[in-house]
Amino acid sequence: MYTGTVKFFNDSKGFGFIKDQDSDKEYFVHVTGLVDEIRENDKVTFDLQEGKKGLNAVNVKLS
């Protein structure tokens, strides 16, 4: 499980990006990968799963 911060999330479009706390990499997140509702600057935990265009954050929960 990874830890990070929500850098951007657009509720109307249902996607955003999470910045990993350890590596500073950014990962795409889609509304289907959320466990909890998220907003910009929220601290979250997440897993990574291979998607169509690279790794996606899934099982995203507020921490």
Side-chain angles (χ1 to χ4, degrees), residues 11-35:
D11 282 324
S12 61
K13 294 187 179 178
F15 73 89
F17 294 91
I18 295 174
K19 185 174 182 179
D20 184 18
Q21 172 179 295
D22 296 327
S23 70
D24 281 344
K25 288 185 179 180
E26 292 181 11
Y27 297 106
F28 178 82
V29 59
H30 189 265
V31 69
T32 58
L34 301 180
V35 174

Side-chain angles (χ1 to χ4, degrees), residues 2 16-18 20 23 25-30 46-58:
Y2 298 85
F17 294 91
I18 295 174
D20 184 18
S23 70
K25 288 185 179 180
E26 292 181 11
Y27 297 106
F28 178 82
V29 59
H30 189 265
F46 59 97
D47 295 317
L48 292 175
Q49 179 177 313
E50 191 64 39
K52 291 180 184 176
K53 297 181 180 179
L55 291 172
N56 294 342
V58 294

